[in-house]
Amino acid sequence: MPSEAEQPSSARPFAGASAPGGPDAGGLLERDPELAAAAHAVDALVDGAARGGPARGGILVYRGEPGIGKTTLLAAIHRTARDRCTVLTARGGETLASVPFHLTRQLLQPALDRFGPEEVRGLLGDHHDLLAPALGIASPAAASPAPADPQGVRDGLAGLLGRLADRLCDRPPLLLVDDAQWADAESLAWLDAFAGSRRDRDLPVLVVLAHRPPKPDPGRPTAAATLAALAERAVLTFGLHALTPAATAALAREALGGHADEPFCHELWTVTSGNPYETVELLAKARDRMLEPVAGSAALLRDLGAGARGGGLVARLEALGPGPTRLAWAIAVLGADSTTRLLTTLTGMKADEVTDHTARLRRTRILTAPPADPRPQDDARAAPGTGTAPTAPPSPRASASAHSPASAFPLEFAHPLIATAVYGSVPPAVRTALHGRAAWVLAGAGHGPAAVSRHLLEVHPDDDEDVVDRLRAAAAEHLATGAPDAARRCLDRALAEPPSPETYAGVLYELGCASLLTSPAATVRHLRSALDLPGLDDDLRIDATYRLAQALAHNNQLQEAARAVAAEADRTPPGTGRRRLQAAHFMYEGFQAAEDDGPGRSRRLAELTAGFTGADNSERALIAVRGFDAMLRGEPAAEVVGLCDRALADGLPARGLGWTDPTWGFEIPALTGIAYVFADRPDRGEALFTEAVRAFEISGWSGAHLAFAHTLLGLVHRRRGRLPRAQHHLEEGLRLADRVGGGLPVHWDTACLLVDTLLARGRTAEARAVADRYAFGPPWPGAIVLPDGPSVLGRLLLAEGRREEAVDTLEAAAEALTARGRHHGVWAPWPFDLARALAPTDPDRAARLAADAHTHATRLGTPTALGEALRCLALLADPPESHRLLTRAVAHLATSPSRYEEARARLDLAHATGSPSTLAHATTLAASCGAHPSPSTP
């Protein structure tokens, strides 16, 4: 559903509040368009679910200045929808914006509480261990030792919301989110992921967001951008405006009596600028003072109005005395944890004092009134089946029990404006001290490190090792829930404490690891600093160096990655640790697109691994690197397959070398599978890559890792001639990679394979569109591309008839690869295409290229390579010899897994012989491969 332009409602704004003594609480004025839009959206959602057809949810956005009535508008939507929908509500908090998944838990915990433990486990499915910590229904300590992939957590939560919608189809979910400008970035990203996961744009839920107009926030750029993205997806966006004079007069007459005259009402509107919150507050004060609503009293309104905002609110609080003021300060600091029990501990007051001060704060409308039912007012939790929840539910922790006493219900300010004013009024030194004390109060009450860390972040550094330990523990929890940004905030603050000299390097190491998935440059900086300091033991130094190399490689700094692990390997005694570093060294050197001594490196790798049997994972990893290198060099395929077999354990990655193992990374099993594919054993590669997709999906790795797994499956299907299936996986790989960002290594590999696949299908224009979209061409990245990028680009240029450009591109590929001793003609098919391009103008050189390619194919020994080489030779031979060579090529390719290449060879043979039956066979085979029209012969 396309997002429409923001709809102004200045003509008929809505009060967003009720006048004291006026209509029922939440009575609305002049908000017909906004309410009508919500009613229409609810009707579409409910009617679609009732018919059993596609859901018709979506996103509605209401924007407006503070006090404009957003909360009351959401309350009205809640009232009208609660008998038909499962209403789930949440509110962002100014002091809670840095708490990961705070909003998510408010929304989803009440819905999950409708189900038993086994039903919840079923709803979370394979992602239970990944999602439970983020949802607050399991301890992060029970999560996997590897950090949770943020994209995977977002996607998992999006899937959970979809499954909840299916289970609640009789009362489809309505999500009401107030003060979304203060929502945590992780929750906003989840909502955006959910909205973006539906390609038809029909969501099974209705999401209503209310927030203040966006403003630049350097401290939270990601959250602001995501909120803007959600607005772009919205069905409608309404801008809420101030009350008109007529609406203000209506409120005044309902609050103070119908005799309120026009001068009084107009002055009321002038003083409040039509702000509904300030209007209602000012009317309440006028009623408290028994002010006559007549022209003679109008002049008094301005002085009274000053107490409804900013400094006036603070003065109103201070007038209550030090006890209520101290309590209000504590509530502002504790936020959603402001239960009476915790407040007594934090303030040092007695319980009856807190009760008395609370009553006074409520009487002056600084705090909300107590709930009518002393239980936490979450209807979806307290009365299963009603599907309702309050506008501002308590924190998940405070509402853990459906029968908590009133003292367990958190105290709340009557309006976010009051909360902001009170928090800002706390003297800085007092505020810092309160945060410090709040940290210890929460820790003493059994709250986890992540909950405590929110307050520790606000405490001044004081060389306290206990603070460092707690922040490190909080960072570990945040990583386990898929919130690396929150983890980095904790570790940055821990460094400022600072840690002791003995632990400083360890904190830097943890900070680098926390940045690994999202910020390679920061990872490099932190890990290098850690390695330059004392304090890391041998195992940690090895791991830090390995991760440093991973980050450098991810940042397209392969040469620096290879140097870093080589230098550390030289300092490391012989053994598994050293072999781990050597494997990384040879891998990253081999990944480089340009290399000073490729043949020498290959020779040293072969010598090192000559006696390895795969006795442990460090040997298996080096054997895998060796097998991949041997494949690129075009060494005999039987030897390559033997190396790949030794790199595995019973045909599978050994334990500790799996796809999601954090010690070695996914590269090791990937190298083995790729080498299998180009050794004409794509069946074994397919088994490995299918397991990769499964492992990544179960672990919630739905970013670049899963994108690469789909790319690898695309490679398998391309080599086996299953071109439509290859295209499907490659397009899925690009879709997943695009969500992560641009210019990733996986983009190059996937775009390259997709261009090659589309060319095989005869879709040259589509191939060019992919190449242009992903800038597939020079300047090439520092890493090799799967398959060789310049070779595939040359093929594209030939298909477009740009022969001279193709020759230049293919000759550059030949120079680079020949110097490195890489002669695999299927990985890098430049010899075949260059020979064909040169045949009309330089047949002698073309013949030499074809003969050399055949020599290398003979050494490699795979039917695919031999068939392709013979087909190329046939192009340059006289008719009788060409016929003989093509017959041999078809015979080889018929025994290969490469059905598309077989179809091309049969088509060439049909053209050479003029045989209708051969042509029919070739055409049928090409069609079964998905090559339409019949494959061309460039």
Side-chain angles (χ1 to χ4, degrees):
M1 292 176 285
S3 175
E4 299 183 18
E6 181 168 307
Q7 304 294 311
S9 55
S10 55
R12 301 181 63 189
F14 146 88
S18 61
D24 60 286
L28 306 182
L29 292 174
E30 302 183 339
R31 278 291 189 261
D32 290 350
E34 292 85 348
L35 289 172
H40 177 76
V42 170
D43 287 344
L45 178 72
V46 174
D47 292 347
R51 290 194 301 268
R56 295 290 179 182
I59 300 175
L60 289 178
V61 176
Y62 296 102
R63 290 177 180 159
E65 296 294 339
I68 206 69
K70 301 180 292 295
T71 298
T72 306
L73 179 58
L74 293 191
I77 297 171
H78 185 176
R79 286 194 303 276
T80 59
R82 64 187 173 191
D83 293 332
R84 306 167 67 199
C85 299
T86 301
V87 184
L88 304 171
T89 69
R91 174 183 289 166
E94 189 172 12
T95 61
L96 297 170
S98 63
V99 179
F101 299 110
H102 177 71
L103 202 80
T104 304
R105 295 177 182 186
Q106 289 185 63
L107 288 169
L108 295 187
Q109 279 190 340
L112 293 176
D113 279 351
R114 298 164 63 91
F115 305 99
E118 290 307 313
E119 289 179 294
V120 171
R121 182 169 286 276
L123 282 167
L124 271 59
D126 289 340
H127 290 159
H128 178 276
D129 293 344
L130 175 74
L131 302 181
L135 290 167
I137 59 177
S139 168
S144 166
D149 176 32
Q151 184 69 54
V153 174
R154 290 193 290 270
D155 289 345
L157 290 171
L160 170 62
L161 183 53
R163 290 189 291 276
L164 275 173
D166 291 339
R167 291 290 297 273
L168 302 171
C169 57
D170 57 328
R171 302 170 68 88
L174 167 61
L175 276 56
L176 300 178
V177 180
D178 200 4
D179 286 325
Q181 75 279 355
W182 290 327
D184 61 277
E186 290 79 10
S187 293
L188 289 176
W190 155 59
L191 287 173
D192 189 54
F194 176 71
S197 66
R198 302 284 170 151
R199 297 182 184 180
D200 57 6
R201 304 298 298 276
D202 285 334
L203 302 182
V205 305
L206 176 61
V207 181
V208 182
L209 301 173
H211 62 84
R212 299 178 184 180
K215 296 179 181 179
D217 187 350
R220 305 177 65 236
T222 303
T226 310
L227 197 58
L230 283 165
E232 286 294 319
R233 300 183 190 277
V235 180
L236 282 173
T237 296
F238 284 92
L240 305 182
H241 297 273
L243 292 171
T244 61
T248 304
L251 278 178
R253 287 168 183 142
E254 292 197 16
L256 304 179
H259 62 290
D261 65 19
E262 191 59 35
F264 179 91
C265 293
H266 189 271
E267 183 65 12
L268 174 67
W269 179 79
T270 302
V271 169
T272 63
S273 300
N275 182 282
Y277 167 76
E278 294 183 14
T279 300
V280 170
E281 277 296 305
L282 186 50
L283 287 171
K285 288 187 174 188
R287 186 181 61 181
D288 291 345
R289 300 286 183 89
M290 294 184 289
L291 197 68
E292 275 297 303
V294 295
S297 304
L300 301 175
L301 288 174
R302 194 165 298 277
D303 289 338
L304 283 178
R309 67 180 82 91
L313 282 170
V314 174
R316 187 166 114 212
L317 172 62
E318 292 174 346
L320 297 177
T325 299
R326 284 173 49 220
L327 181 62
W329 289 354
I331 295 169
V333 168
L334 271 182
D337 295 311
S338 299
T339 61
T340 300
R341 180 171 60 87
L342 292 177
L343 286 168
T344 57
T345 308
L346 177 60
T347 61
M349 297 178 184
K350 296 178 181 179
D352 57 350
E353 289 182 289
V354 171
T355 301
D356 178 62
H357 297 330
T358 299
R360 296 181 66 189
L361 290 168
R362 282 170 171 160
R363 284 197 297 270
T364 54
R365 296 178 302 282
I366 291 175
L367 296 182
T368 57
D373 182 345
R375 295 174 297 170
Q377 297 298 294
D378 185 333
D379 299 331
R381 184 189 309 271
T386 63
T388 59
T391 301
S395 71
R397 189 175 294 108
S399 54
S401 168
H403 298 284
S404 302
S407 61
F409 195 90
L411 302 181
E412 290 184 329
F413 289 107
H415 196 278
L417 281 171
I418 299 177
T420 300
V422 172
Y423 187 77
S425 72
V426 184
V430 175
R431 184 165 61 236
T432 299
L434 280 172
H435 276 296
R437 184 164 175 78
W440 310 129
V441 167
L442 290 174
H447 293 239
V452 171
S453 68
R454 175 172 75 88
H455 299 285
L456 293 180
L457 291 173
E458 305 298 329
V459 176
H460 292 313
D462 194 28
D463 200 22
D464 189 334
E465 196 67 20
D466 186 56
V467 170
V468 173
D469 291 342
R470 291 181 184 275
L471 288 168
R472 293 173 77 179
E477 286 197 358
H478 289 318
L479 288 174
T481 62
D485 288 342
R488 287 197 295 271
R489 287 194 295 270
C490 289
L491 293 169
D492 274 328
R493 174 60 186 80
L495 285 177
E497 187 61 18
S500 67
E502 293 77 19
T503 59
Y504 199 99
V507 177
L508 277 170
Y509 162 77
E510 291 167 9
L511 183 55
C513 293
S515 306
L516 188 60
L517 290 174
T518 54
S519 181
T523 297
V524 168
R525 183 172 67 254
H526 297 313
L527 291 179
R528 278 181 167 159
S529 298
L531 288 164
D532 287 340
L533 294 172
L536 297 182
D537 60 29
D538 291 343
D539 290 342
L540 213 52
R541 281 195 66 85
I542 290 169
D543 193 67
T545 305
Y546 196 89
R547 292 175 184 274
L548 171 62
Q550 286 179 314
L552 287 166
H554 189 78
N555 210 36
N556 201 27
Q557 296 174 273
L558 286 167
Q559 193 173 62
E560 291 88 340
R563 287 174 181 166
V565 286
E568 191 63 31
D570 289 342
R571 293 192 291 267
T572 304
T576 57
R578 185 175 188 179
R579 287 196 293 271
R580 184 184 180 199
L581 296 171
Q582 288 173 321
H585 166 67
F586 283 112
M587 181 171 66
Y588 291 127
E589 279 204 329
F591 284 173
Q592 294 176 40
E595 191 178 6
D596 293 336
D597 185 18
R601 178 193 51 79
S602 295
R603 183 177 61 255
R604 292 189 295 274
L605 176 59
E607 291 170 353
L608 175 64
T609 58
F612 286 1
T613 61
D616 61 26
N617 282 348
S618 63
E619 285 196 3
R620 293 188 186 100
L622 276 162
I623 291 170
V625 176
R626 162 70 179 131
F628 181 77
D629 186 68
M631 179 275 294
L632 291 179
R633 290 175 55 76
E635 295 183 24
E639 296 180 16
V640 171
V641 171
L643 289 165
C644 291
D645 289 345
R646 271 190 282 155
L648 301 174
D650 298 325
L652 296 172
R655 184 170 184 174
L657 277 175
W659 292 99
T660 59
D661 183 82
T663 303
W664 290 93
F666 70 94
E667 291 89 350
I668 298 301
L671 296 182
T672 302
I674 294 169
Y676 270 137
V677 170
F678 285 100
D680 265 15
R681 295 306 307 268
D683 54 328
R684 297 189 184 181
E686 184 170 6
L688 286 172
F689 301 153
T690 300
E691 170 60 21
V693 171
R694 189 192 73 84
F696 290 148
E697 287 181 342
I698 288 177
S699 299
W701 293 18
S702 59
H705 294 89
L706 185 59
F708 190 56
H710 278 284
T711 297
L712 294 175
L713 276 178
L715 167 66
V716 165
H717 293 305
R718 167 64 184 91
R719 296 306 335 142
R720 302 187 83 162
R722 304 166 180 169
L723 302 181
R725 291 181 67 183
Q727 182 177 343
H728 165 75
H729 281 288
L730 295 169
E731 289 175 343
E732 177 65 5
L734 285 175
R735 184 187 72 82
L736 292 168
D738 287 346
R739 297 189 312 165
V740 179
L744 302 175
V746 68
H747 279 109
W748 285 95
D749 295 331
T750 315
C752 181
L753 273 167
L754 184 54
V755 166
D756 183 57
T757 300
L758 290 169
L759 288 175
R761 301 198 70 187
R763 300 179 176 182
T764 303
E766 292 180 44
R768 168 51 62 188
V770 171
D772 290 345
R773 178 181 176 186
Y774 292 98
F776 177 67
W780 298 100
I784 59 174
V785 180
L786 168 72
D788 178 58
S791 295
V792 172
L793 179 60
R795 178 168 289 181
L796 172 60
L797 292 169
L798 280 178
E800 293 175 321
R802 299 159 65 178
R803 195 185 73 84
E804 291 185 4
E805 294 174 71
V807 168
D808 290 343
T809 299
L810 294 168
E811 285 182 335
E815 182 179 357
L817 293 173
T818 302
R820 299 185 70 179
R822 295 186 168 178
H823 301 291
H824 198 297
V826 181
W827 167 281
W830 66 264
F832 307 139
D833 291 325
L834 184 56
R836 292 186 177 94
L838 293 174
T841 58
D842 194 348
D844 291 341
R845 185 180 172 208
R848 290 194 299 273
L849 287 170
D852 287 345
H854 182 258
T855 298
H856 291 301
T858 301
R859 180 187 180 217
L860 175 60
T862 64
T864 300
L866 285 167
E868 286 289 271
L870 289 167
R871 178 172 169 261
C872 186
L873 283 173
L875 176 69
L876 301 162
D878 56 40
E881 179 66 6
S882 176
H883 185 181
R884 185 182 69 82
L885 291 170
L886 287 171
T887 301
R888 290 175 57 198
V890 168
H892 280 296
L893 289 167
T895 65
S896 79
S898 306
R899 297 281 70 79
Y900 169 72
E901 281 70 22
E902 179 190 351
R904 290 202 309 180
R906 289 187 183 277
L907 187 62
D908 286 352
L909 181 60
H911 290 158
T913 61
S915 167
S917 61
T918 304
L919 179 61
H921 188 177
T923 303
T924 300
L925 183 57
S928 72
C929 293
H932 302 289
S934 299
S936 60
T937 53

